[in-house]
Amino acid sequence: MTVSKIPFRKKIALDLFRKFKENESKIHSLSYLFWECTLRCNLNCQHCGSDCKQDAAVKDMALSDFLHAIDQLEGLVNPHKTIVVLTGGEVLLRKDLAEIGQSLYDRGFPWGMVTNGMLLTEAKLQLLVNSGLRAVTISLDGLEDSHNWLRNNSTSFAKAISAISLLPTFPDLKYDVVTCVNRKNFRELNQLRDLLISKGIAEWRVFTIFPIGRAKDNELLQLSAVEFKGLFEFIKETRLSGKIKLNYGCEGFLGSFEGEVRDNFFFCRAGINIGSVLADGSISACPSLRNNFIQGNIYQDNLAEVWINRFQKYRDRSWTKTGLCAECDFYKYCEGNGLHLRNEETGELLFCHLHRLEHE
């Protein structure tokens, strides 16, 4: 069966899910807020989309500035049902992380962080958990040589493994490990899965690398069409085994693979349930969306008012029906793919998952 031939019962489910998405877009309840709290980073990764550096040109945002912005959300969101996720850069480079966490916790917000694990120790993790940390995502991008190659650091694999090994020892912590699949680590996926299982990891997410930032011109970062389809076969097999919960990331409509490689059907929630405050104060959806996707700035605008009254291009995506999308029979399910896969200046689609799967 080709990926374009979707079984009748799955089509019914996709149609029902489409109506659910329409309703979510109308309600647009903010439940997930990223804060890009630093652009500084202690790695120099091959695939970095934000081109982070050791000494970023944009200085870290003051905690007081971010707190002023989220205090404007009072009455709009239930903080107990809205998680704030710190991202970067590398969040652990901030010296005030425990203070940040405690300030969020005192306001009722659960909080999480995305980290490369280089600076994560048991003592640091315990301190952050005591400050209200509830969720952690750590990156592991292959076995030792492949991970170190992607991260451009000879010690990064060992430190990531050390950090990952801590996660199951904190029973109240929600966590997962994420992997960016590329041509260097594609053939290691079985071994990587077994390694994570041996470390007691229960949840794993994999992504493919989209062609922006440093990843734009590196052929080793882009899977071949055959490898691309093979990745989804691997995810299906792993999910059926039940030994580790594996999901493909929230990007791309996958045709007949929908419902088989992640817990939900494809849904880009950027600007619908997901917002972000970037390092310079810009208000966006997921942190990958910049330039023409920016909706305001916390230094000039009220965050709550921006969330309520703007984000139109996120909630009505009819403008994406161009190029490959214009004549696609599956547009009603996909709505132009994840917005981070569109050119930030022109809006044109850079990468179509379904097209890649159909042309293996």
Side-chain angles (χ1 to χ4, degrees), residues 92-174:
L92 290 172
L93 287 172
R94 287 196 64 133
K95 303 299 185 185
D96 59 347
L97 208 54
E99 180 187 353
I100 291 171
Q102 190 64 53
S103 298
L104 293 170
Y105 183 76
D106 290 345
R107 286 164 168 76
F109 289 96
W111 68 280
M113 67 178 183
V114 180
T115 176
N116 58 35
M118 292 285 288
L119 299 174
L120 192 63
T121 63
E122 184 175 8
K124 171 69 77 172
L125 187 54
Q126 184 64 67
L127 174 66
L128 298 178
V129 168
N130 293 345
S131 303
L133 179 68
R134 292 295 175 263
V136 178
T137 293
I138 298 179
S139 297
L140 184 67
D141 295 305
L143 301 180
E144 186 163 13
D145 288 346
S146 297
H147 179 92
N148 289 345
W149 168 78
L150 191 68
R151 298 287 168 174
N152 265 323
N153 185 288
S154 62
T155 67
S156 60
F157 176 82
K159 291 181 178 179
I161 288 294
S162 176
I164 286 166
S165 299
L166 294 172
L167 300 178
T169 67
F170 286 78
D172 295 327
L173 191 64
K174 181 174 175 57

XYZ file of all heavy atoms in Angstrom, residues 92-174:
643
model
N 20.880 25.844 30.588
C 21.662 25.655 31.810
C 22.849 26.614 31.912
O 23.529 26.646 32.939
C 22.140 24.205 31.918
C 21.026 23.190 32.207
C 21.546 21.771 32.099
C 20.420 23.429 33.586
N 23.079 27.412 30.880
C 24.099 28.455 30.975
C 23.625 29.630 31.829
O 24.442 30.430 32.293
C 24.484 28.952 29.578
C 25.336 27.985 28.745
C 25.490 28.507 27.329
C 26.706 27.767 29.382
N 22.331 29.733 32.050
C 21.827 30.797 32.925
C 22.089 30.425 34.377
O 21.793 29.302 34.811
C 20.332 31.021 32.702
C 20.025 31.732 31.388
C 18.620 32.291 31.365
N 18.370 33.327 32.350
C 17.760 34.481 32.093
N 17.369 34.772 30.853
N 17.528 35.355 33.047
N 22.622 31.379 35.130
C 22.954 31.136 36.532
C 21.730 31.254 37.438
O 21.772 30.823 38.594
C 24.028 32.137 36.999
C 25.301 32.117 36.173
C 25.992 30.770 36.207
C 27.325 30.827 35.461
N 27.973 29.491 35.381
N 20.651 31.854 36.913
C 19.478 32.114 37.748
C 18.326 31.144 37.452
O 17.168 31.454 37.688
C 18.996 33.551 37.546
C 18.616 33.864 36.101
O 18.953 33.059 35.203
O 17.984 34.922 35.865
N 18.658 29.950 36.969
C 17.609 29.023 36.534
C 16.701 28.602 37.686
O 15.475 28.508 37.527
C 18.243 27.792 35.884
C 17.408 27.077 34.827
C 16.944 28.015 33.739
C 18.186 25.909 34.231
N 17.279 28.358 38.850
C 16.451 27.989 40.005
C 15.532 29.145 40.410
O 14.362 28.929 40.764
C 17.327 27.577 41.180
N 16.024 30.371 40.335
C 15.192 31.537 40.648
C 14.064 31.683 39.630
O 12.915 31.987 39.993
C 16.053 32.808 40.656
C 15.266 34.069 40.979
C 16.091 35.336 40.821
O 17.313 35.237 40.589
O 15.497 36.433 40.911
N 14.394 31.454 38.361
C 13.373 31.499 37.311
C 12.280 30.476 37.610
O 11.081 30.785 37.606
C 13.996 31.196 35.933
C 14.908 32.337 35.495
C 12.902 30.955 34.887
C 15.718 32.020 34.244
N 12.716 29.244 37.880
C 11.762 28.176 38.146
C 10.883 28.454 39.349
O 9.661 28.243 39.309
N 11.484 28.951 40.406
C 10.721 29.236 41.611
C 9.701 30.344 41.360
O 8.566 30.282 41.857
C 11.661 29.628 42.751
C 10.981 29.700 44.113
C 10.456 28.343 44.567
O 11.196 27.358 44.600
N 9.172 28.286 44.913
N 10.091 31.342 40.576
C 9.175 32.438 40.263
C 7.972 31.945 39.466
O 6.833 32.376 39.688
C 9.905 33.529 39.469
O 10.957 34.088 40.224
N 8.210 31.032 38.538
C 7.112 30.448 37.758
C 6.235 29.570 38.640
O 5.000 29.627 38.586
C 7.670 29.637 36.587
C 8.390 30.436 35.502
C 9.098 29.515 34.523
C 7.416 31.342 34.762
N 6.880 28.764 39.469
C 6.153 27.863 40.367
C 5.273 28.654 41.340
O 4.125 28.271 41.615
C 7.155 26.992 41.126
C 6.519 25.969 42.022
C 5.945 24.817 41.502
C 6.502 26.149 43.404
C 5.361 23.873 42.338
C 5.930 25.222 44.247
C 5.361 24.072 43.709
O 4.781 23.146 44.542
N 5.810 29.756 41.854
C 5.045 30.588 42.787
C 3.799 31.179 42.123
O 2.809 31.479 42.799
C 5.913 31.727 43.328
C 7.004 31.239 44.276
O 6.911 30.080 44.740
O 7.951 32.009 44.533
N 3.842 31.329 40.809
C 2.688 31.843 40.061
C 1.748 30.724 39.618
O 0.734 30.983 38.963
C 3.172 32.645 38.837
C 3.742 34.009 39.201
C 4.553 34.590 38.047
N 4.862 36.009 38.268
C 5.787 36.458 39.094
N 6.523 35.595 39.796
N 5.999 37.759 39.244
N 2.096 29.491 39.939
C 1.237 28.357 39.615
C 1.572 27.647 38.324
O 0.895 26.689 37.946
N 2.624 28.103 37.615
C 2.964 27.497 36.332
C 3.903 26.305 36.510
O 4.987 26.455 37.079
C 3.669 28.507 35.424
C 2.795 29.595 34.897
C 2.739 30.832 35.530
C 2.024 29.391 33.763
C 1.935 31.853 35.040
C 1.220 30.409 33.260
C 1.168 31.640 33.900
N 3.527 25.132 36.024
C 4.541 24.079 35.896
C 5.531 24.512 34.819
O 5.164 25.256 33.896
C 3.725 22.862 35.441
C 2.527 23.432 34.771
C 2.229 24.727 35.468
N 6.769 24.084 34.934
C 7.746 24.513 33.940
C 8.654 23.361 33.545
O 8.808 22.378 34.273
C 8.545 25.727 34.413
C 9.485 25.502 35.566
C 9.180 25.437 36.887
C 10.905 25.319 35.477
N 10.302 25.231 37.643
C 11.381 25.155 36.798
C 11.816 25.277 34.426
C 12.737 24.947 37.089
C 13.162 25.078 34.706
C 13.603 24.923 36.029
N 9.210 23.505 32.363
C 10.113 22.480 31.849
C 11.276 23.126 31.133
O 11.354 24.356 31.008
N 12.187 22.303 30.652
C 13.331 22.837 29.916
C 13.792 21.846 28.861
O 13.590 20.634 28.979
C 14.489 23.169 30.869
C 15.119 21.979 31.535
S 16.517 22.472 32.594
C 17.097 20.857 33.169
N 14.418 22.403 27.820
C 15.057 21.620 26.764
C 16.552 21.852 26.889
O 17.008 23.009 26.921
C 14.565 22.068 25.376
C 15.235 21.252 24.279
C 13.043 21.952 25.284
N 17.324 20.778 26.982
C 18.759 20.918 27.240
C 19.569 19.896 26.455
O 19.072 18.818 26.116
C 19.067 20.768 28.752
O 20.489 20.810 28.965
C 18.529 19.468 29.306
N 20.833 20.235 26.197
C 21.733 19.260 25.574
C 22.392 18.361 26.617
O 23.109 17.420 26.255
C 22.792 19.958 24.707
C 23.646 20.955 25.482
O 23.974 20.766 26.653
N 24.041 22.054 24.814
N 22.173 18.645 27.896
C 22.672 17.786 28.962
C 24.108 18.009 29.365
O 24.584 17.398 30.331
N 24.834 18.885 28.691
C 26.256 19.063 28.967
C 26.527 19.485 30.409
O 27.551 19.108 30.994
C 26.846 20.101 28.015
C 26.918 19.683 26.563
S 28.233 18.489 26.216
C 29.695 19.528 26.365
N 25.642 20.259 30.997
C 25.876 20.822 32.332
C 24.953 20.235 33.398
O 24.926 20.729 34.525
C 25.698 22.348 32.291
C 26.633 23.113 31.362
C 26.250 24.592 31.323
C 28.090 22.948 31.788
N 24.219 19.189 33.036
C 23.236 18.649 33.971
C 23.860 17.600 34.883
O 24.373 16.580 34.434
C 22.060 18.036 33.212
C 20.838 17.697 34.065
C 20.242 18.961 34.689
C 19.782 16.978 33.240
N 23.816 17.876 36.176
C 24.296 16.941 37.191
C 23.120 16.565 38.085
O 22.057 17.195 38.053
C 25.392 17.582 38.049
O 24.820 18.701 38.759
C 26.565 18.052 37.193
N 23.319 15.558 38.916
C 22.256 15.152 39.824
C 21.900 16.281 40.789
O 20.717 16.536 41.057
C 22.681 13.907 40.612
C 21.578 13.379 41.520
C 21.959 12.079 42.200
O 23.131 11.659 42.094
O 21.083 11.460 42.842
N 22.924 16.971 41.302
C 22.663 18.069 42.237
C 21.899 19.200 41.556
O 20.971 19.777 42.127
C 23.980 18.586 42.804
N 22.282 19.532 40.320
C 21.597 20.591 39.583
C 20.147 20.198 39.308
O 19.226 21.005 39.486
C 22.327 20.868 38.271
C 21.594 21.802 37.309
C 21.525 23.223 37.817
C 22.856 23.922 37.628
N 22.764 25.374 37.952
N 19.938 18.961 38.899
C 18.577 18.509 38.606
C 17.719 18.517 39.864
O 16.557 18.932 39.830
C 18.614 17.108 37.984
C 17.287 16.555 37.474
C 16.615 17.514 36.502
C 17.490 15.194 36.819
N 18.283 18.102 40.994
C 17.524 18.118 42.247
C 17.148 19.546 42.636
O 16.017 19.803 43.069
C 18.351 17.475 43.367
C 17.610 17.349 44.690
C 16.416 16.429 44.601
O 16.573 15.223 44.413
N 15.206 16.972 44.725
N 18.079 20.474 42.459
C 17.803 21.882 42.761
C 16.645 22.397 41.917
O 15.747 23.089 42.417
C 19.060 22.723 42.514
C 18.911 24.237 42.649
C 18.592 24.637 44.090
C 20.180 24.944 42.156
N 16.644 22.054 40.630
C 15.604 22.542 39.728
C 14.263 21.879 40.009
O 13.214 22.536 39.934
C 16.039 22.324 38.278
C 17.312 23.078 37.862
C 17.673 22.753 36.418
C 17.159 24.577 38.072
N 14.283 20.596 40.337
C 13.042 19.913 40.723
C 12.456 20.571 41.974
O 11.242 20.784 42.085
C 13.291 18.408 40.940
C 12.097 17.742 41.622
C 13.573 17.722 39.607
N 13.320 20.918 42.920
C 12.860 21.605 44.135
C 12.279 22.986 43.822
O 11.504 23.542 44.619
C 14.013 21.760 45.130
C 14.477 20.433 45.691
O 13.779 19.414 45.574
N 15.660 20.416 46.289
N 12.659 23.532 42.660
C 12.164 24.845 42.231
C 10.956 24.722 41.296
O 10.579 25.707 40.660
C 13.287 25.618 41.522
O 14.410 25.764 42.357
N 10.393 23.532 41.210
C 9.162 23.357 40.450
C 9.310 22.743 39.077
O 8.325 22.641 38.335
N 10.532 22.335 38.697
C 10.729 21.700 37.397
C 9.880 20.440 37.281
O 9.911 19.587 38.160
C 12.207 21.335 37.203
C 12.566 20.637 35.889
C 12.401 21.589 34.707
C 13.988 20.086 35.954
N 9.118 20.333 36.178
C 8.228 19.185 36.000
C 8.491 18.413 34.723
O 7.994 17.300 34.569
C 6.769 19.660 36.034
C 6.315 20.174 37.400
C 6.323 19.063 38.435
N 6.008 19.533 39.783
C 6.907 19.834 40.708
N 8.204 19.750 40.418
N 6.551 20.240 41.909
N 9.252 18.972 33.775
C 9.473 18.282 32.497
C 10.851 18.618 31.942
O 11.304 19.765 32.035
C 8.395 18.672 31.495
N 11.512 17.614 31.385
C 12.845 17.797 30.803
C 12.912 17.063 29.471
O 12.442 15.927 29.360
C 13.959 17.246 31.724
C 15.325 17.415 31.061
C 13.942 17.923 33.072
N 13.498 17.711 28.487
C 13.817 17.062 27.213
C 15.315 17.157 27.001
O 15.902 18.240 27.108
C 13.078 17.751 26.050
O 11.673 17.520 26.184
C 13.541 17.202 24.712
N 15.943 16.017 26.719
C 17.386 15.962 26.471
C 17.622 15.352 25.092
O 16.942 14.406 24.697
C 18.113 15.134 27.548
C 17.940 15.787 28.922
C 19.605 14.995 27.218
C 18.605 15.019 30.059
N 18.586 15.892 24.373
C 18.894 15.424 23.024
C 19.965 14.339 23.043
O 20.973 14.451 23.754
C 19.390 16.581 22.149
O 18.389 17.554 21.996
N 19.735 13.285 22.250
C 20.741 12.253 22.000
C 20.642 11.908 20.527
O 19.628 11.364 20.071
C 20.516 11.015 22.859
C 21.598 9.936 22.717
C 22.932 10.433 23.282
C 21.179 8.646 23.401
N 21.686 12.195 19.776
C 21.595 12.126 18.321
C 22.472 11.039 17.715
O 23.259 11.289 16.800
C 21.942 13.493 17.728
C 20.919 14.537 18.131
O 19.729 14.314 17.884
O 21.314 15.553 18.722
N 22.318 9.829 18.253
C 23.058 8.699 17.716
C 24.003 8.105 18.734
O 24.058 8.521 19.900
N 24.759 7.099 18.300
C 25.812 6.537 19.136
C 26.977 7.532 19.200
O 26.898 8.623 18.634
C 26.246 5.190 18.579
C 25.123 4.140 18.481
C 25.651 2.823 17.922
C 24.436 3.917 19.830
N 28.040 7.168 19.895
C 29.038 8.162 20.283
C 29.599 8.983 19.128
O 29.589 10.215 19.166
C 30.184 7.488 21.041
C 31.188 8.489 21.608
C 32.069 7.883 22.673
O 32.084 6.644 22.803
O 32.744 8.667 23.383
N 30.089 8.321 18.071
C 30.711 9.083 16.978
C 29.704 9.975 16.266
O 30.010 11.127 15.929
C 31.362 8.117 15.980
C 32.622 7.467 16.530
O 33.138 7.950 17.558
O 33.073 6.473 15.937
N 28.508 9.450 16.043
C 27.493 10.217 15.312
C 27.008 11.410 16.130
O 26.844 12.518 15.595
C 26.306 9.317 14.956
O 26.703 8.285 14.100
N 26.772 11.176 17.421
C 26.318 12.270 18.276
C 27.391 13.352 18.374
O 27.092 14.550 18.213
C 25.986 11.737 19.669
C 25.529 12.814 20.623
N 24.212 13.152 20.793
C 26.239 13.641 21.438
C 24.114 14.130 21.679
N 25.337 14.446 22.090
N 28.620 12.942 18.621
C 29.705 13.918 18.757
C 29.931 14.695 17.468
O 30.271 15.890 17.487
C 30.992 13.227 19.194
C 30.938 12.760 20.641
O 30.068 13.178 21.405
N 31.862 11.891 21.015
N 29.745 14.015 16.319
C 29.871 14.698 15.025
C 28.802 15.774 14.884
O 29.111 16.920 14.524
C 29.729 13.683 13.889
C 29.553 14.325 12.543
C 30.518 14.887 11.764
C 28.313 14.512 11.832
N 29.966 15.415 10.600
C 28.605 15.186 10.621
C 26.990 14.159 12.100
C 27.625 15.531 9.692
C 26.012 14.489 11.171
C 26.325 15.164 9.985
N 27.557 15.431 15.164
C 26.480 16.396 14.990
C 26.630 17.573 15.943
O 26.344 18.719 15.597
C 25.123 15.716 15.204
C 23.902 16.536 14.806
C 23.847 16.728 13.292
C 22.608 15.891 15.299
N 27.107 17.270 17.161
C 27.220 18.307 18.187
C 28.567 19.022 18.171
O 28.785 19.955 18.946
C 26.990 17.677 19.562
C 25.602 17.070 19.715
C 24.551 18.123 19.838
N 23.194 17.621 19.713
C 22.099 18.343 19.892
N 22.199 19.610 20.223
N 20.895 17.829 19.733
N 29.490 18.550 17.329
C 30.801 19.192 17.202
C 31.544 19.252 18.527
O 32.204 20.243 18.848
C 30.661 20.618 16.639
C 30.840 20.661 15.131
O 31.668 19.937 14.589
N 30.070 21.499 14.470
N 31.450 18.161 19.305
C 32.100 18.147 20.618
C 32.401 16.705 21.006
O 31.504 15.857 21.008
C 31.188 18.799 21.658
C 31.849 18.936 23.013
O 32.046 17.943 23.706
N 32.174 20.166 23.401
N 33.640 16.427 21.348
C 34.076 15.059 21.605
C 33.575 14.487 22.931
O 33.646 13.287 23.159
C 35.607 14.983 21.569
O 36.166 15.805 22.591
N 33.076 15.338 23.830
C 32.578 14.848 25.125
C 31.054 14.884 25.223
O 30.488 14.504 26.240
C 33.158 15.688 26.278
O 32.638 17.028 26.215
C 34.679 15.738 26.223
N 30.402 15.356 24.162
C 28.956 15.604 24.254
C 28.146 14.322 24.438
O 27.142 14.314 25.158
C 28.465 16.374 23.029
O 28.703 15.645 21.840
N 28.561 13.223 23.820
C 27.816 11.970 23.973
C 27.883 11.481 25.419
O 26.851 11.144 26.023
C 28.373 10.897 23.038
C 27.733 9.544 23.202
C 26.514 9.259 22.593
C 28.344 8.557 23.974
C 25.918 8.006 22.752
C 27.752 7.305 24.127
C 26.537 7.034 23.520
N 29.076 11.446 25.974
C 29.240 10.950 27.348
C 28.422 11.794 28.327
O 27.779 11.263 29.239
C 30.713 10.965 27.734
N 28.416 13.092 28.121
C 27.673 13.965 29.034
C 26.166 13.850 28.829
O 25.394 13.908 29.797
C 28.149 15.410 28.873
C 29.571 15.599 29.402
C 30.061 17.028 29.277
C 31.460 17.164 29.870
N 32.006 18.534 29.746
N 25.746 13.650 27.588
C 24.320 13.448 27.332
C 23.841 12.145 27.975
O 22.763 12.098 28.592
C 24.049 13.440 25.830
N 24.625 11.081 27.846
C 24.260 9.800 28.454
C 24.194 9.924 29.970
O 23.285 9.387 30.624
C 25.265 8.702 28.046
C 25.070 8.326 26.573
C 25.115 7.465 28.924
C 23.740 7.649 26.265
N 25.149 10.641 30.549
C 25.141 10.842 31.998
C 23.879 11.570 32.439
O 23.236 11.205 33.431
C 26.383 11.642 32.408
O 26.375 11.933 33.786
N 23.491 12.600 31.673
C 22.287 13.367 32.005
C 21.032 12.523 31.824
O 20.133 12.532 32.676
C 22.222 14.613 31.127
N 20.971 11.787 30.725
C 19.806 10.942 30.445
C 19.620 9.881 31.529
O 18.490 9.570 31.930
C 19.960 10.299 29.051
C 19.709 11.353 27.970
C 19.026 9.101 28.873
C 20.150 10.932 26.585
N 20.715 9.350 32.028
C 20.648 8.299 33.049
C 20.025 8.796 34.345
O 19.513 8.003 35.148
C 22.049 7.742 33.320
O 22.602 7.177 32.150
N 20.057 10.115 34.566
C 19.461 10.678 35.779
C 17.940 10.690 35.731
O 17.276 10.636 36.772
C 19.955 12.119 35.976
C 21.437 12.340 36.262
C 21.740 13.830 36.219
C 21.806 11.760 37.624
N 17.383 10.795 34.540
C 15.949 11.052 34.401
C 15.061 10.022 35.099
O 14.133 10.414 35.837
C 15.582 11.175 32.916
C 16.288 12.303 32.154
C 15.889 12.293 30.683
C 15.974 13.656 32.777
N 15.273 8.727 34.914
C 14.375 7.765 35.568
C 14.500 7.730 37.090
O 13.645 7.137 37.756
C 14.814 6.412 34.959
C 15.541 6.753 33.704
C 16.215 8.052 34.014
N 15.518 8.376 37.635
C 15.696 8.361 39.088
C 14.861 9.437 39.779
O 14.854 9.509 41.009
C 17.183 8.555 39.462
O 17.606 9.877 39.109
C 18.057 7.542 38.738
N 14.158 10.256 38.981
C 13.260 11.277 39.536
C 11.834 10.897 39.140
O 11.361 11.264 38.062
C 13.629 12.664 38.990
C 14.885 13.228 39.586
C 16.141 12.799 39.157
C 14.825 14.185 40.593
C 17.300 13.316 39.705
C 15.990 14.715 41.151
C 17.228 14.275 40.716
N 11.130 10.132 39.977
C 9.856 9.519 39.588
C 8.741 10.500 39.252
O 7.825 10.144 38.506
C 9.484 8.665 40.799
C 10.281 9.230 41.946
C 11.547 9.742 41.340
N 8.789 11.724 39.754
C 7.711 12.686 39.485
C 8.008 13.584 38.291
O 7.230 14.489 37.980
C 7.454 13.555 40.722
C 6.938 12.737 41.894
O 6.214 11.753 41.651
O 7.275 13.086 43.042
N 9.119 13.327 37.631
C 9.552 14.165 36.520
C 9.079 13.568 35.200
O 9.294 12.391 34.925
C 11.080 14.272 36.523
C 11.735 15.298 35.602
C 11.350 16.708 36.011
C 13.255 15.122 35.641
N 8.405 14.377 34.384
C 8.048 13.949 33.031
C 9.241 14.271 32.135
O 9.785 15.368 32.196
C 6.798 14.667 32.542
C 6.348 14.244 31.151
C 5.028 14.881 30.763
C 4.642 14.537 29.325
N 4.564 13.084 29.098
